[in-house]
Amino acid sequence: SMSRAPRCRRLAVLAAITAILVVAVPASPAAAAKGGQLFATGGTVELEIRPATARLESHLFLLEPDGTRGETLATNRDVGKVGTLGPFPAGRELVFGIYVPEIDQTFLMGPAARNPDGLPHADVTEVGERVYDVGFEDRLGGGDLDYDDNVFRFTGHLAPNEPPTASDLDLTTPEDTPLELTLAGADADGTIVS
């Protein structure tokens, strides 16, 4: 019928415009994780102090395994400073924090419950392979929530999730019980091979 052809053309034009708009929209940057964590995968980590916008000076430290504040690694005024930390054993959570002398407060990355106001004070953004920017808020109540008061880049043997330990990979069965295993993989074109 005659009325159907123009409608189909309109739909085709609309579909083409939609496809162009979808392709033209740039990919979004890596998602940031407020309250994010970083775990060592075994080895060293490079630290770089990035530009920040804070009025207050804050001091970066690494929380010791016993929960005490480690020595100051740098301040947010040390832009461009680079250093190497570690080596750290695989699986250790690297809890970085900032101490803000002017208000005598300490804020830690990770879950909100670690901080005195019950809010997340660090934003972890993966900016490349094993490269993470961690931005902090330096005021109680979350400040202006832009997470750029103290910004650090961590590169190296890191992951945003705790890596599995060898005990997580052990297979156990009752004694004298056979365990049937099927190994599978994929070849270069994605075809599953077993």
Side-chain angles (χ1 to χ4, degrees), residues 71-138:
E71 66 183 57
T72 296
L73 302 170
T75 75
N76 56 331
R77 307 288 192 242
D78 297 328
V79 175
K81 180 178 179 179
V82 175
T84 301
L85 309 173
F88 301 106
R92 176 179 169 191
E93 182 182 4
L94 301 178
V95 181
F96 290 95
I98 59 170
Y99 171 67
V100 186
E102 189 174 320
I103 60 171
D104 193 27
Q105 290 294 322
T106 298
F107 302 108
L108 301 174
M109 62 184 295
R114 290 181 177 166
N115 292 302
D117 55 7
L119 295 172
H121 275 265
D123 185 50
V124 179
T125 304
E126 185 171 358
V127 295
E129 188 174 337
R130 297 186 315 184
V131 180
Y132 301 89
D133 281 356
V134 177
F136 281 91
E137 271 305 323
D138 64 358

Side-chain angles (χ1 to χ4, degrees), residues 3-131:
S3 65
R4 185 167 269 223
R7 183 170 182 236
C8 288
R9 256 184 257 127
R10 281 194 304 264
L11 288 174
V13 168
L14 184 60
I17 290 171
T18 302
I20 290 169
L21 290 174
V22 168
V23 171
V25 174
S28 62
K34 287 168 185 49
Q37 296 169 269
L38 291 175
F39 293 87
T41 57
T44 59
V45 174
E46 185 175 293
L47 161 68
E48 177 189 351
I49 312 309
R50 310 283 292 166
T53 64
R55 182 184 62 76
L56 300 176
E57 181 175 300
S58 55
H59 301 231
L60 176 72
F61 64 88
L62 177 62
L63 202 63
E64 297 292 339
D66 66 4
T68 59
R69 186 169 71 213
E71 66 183 57
T72 296
L73 302 170
T75 75
N76 56 331
R77 307 288 192 242
D78 297 328
V79 175
K81 180 178 179 179
V82 175
T84 301
L85 309 173
F88 301 106
R92 176 179 169 191
E93 182 182 4
L94 301 178
V95 181
F96 290 95
I98 59 170
Y99 171 67
V100 186
E102 189 174 320
I103 60 171
D104 193 27
Q105 290 294 322
T106 298
F107 302 108
L108 301 174
M109 62 184 295
R114 290 181 177 166
N115 292 302
D117 55 7
L119 295 172
H121 275 265
D123 185 50
V124 179
T125 304
E126 185 171 358
V127 295
E129 188 174 337
R130 297 186 315 184
V131 180

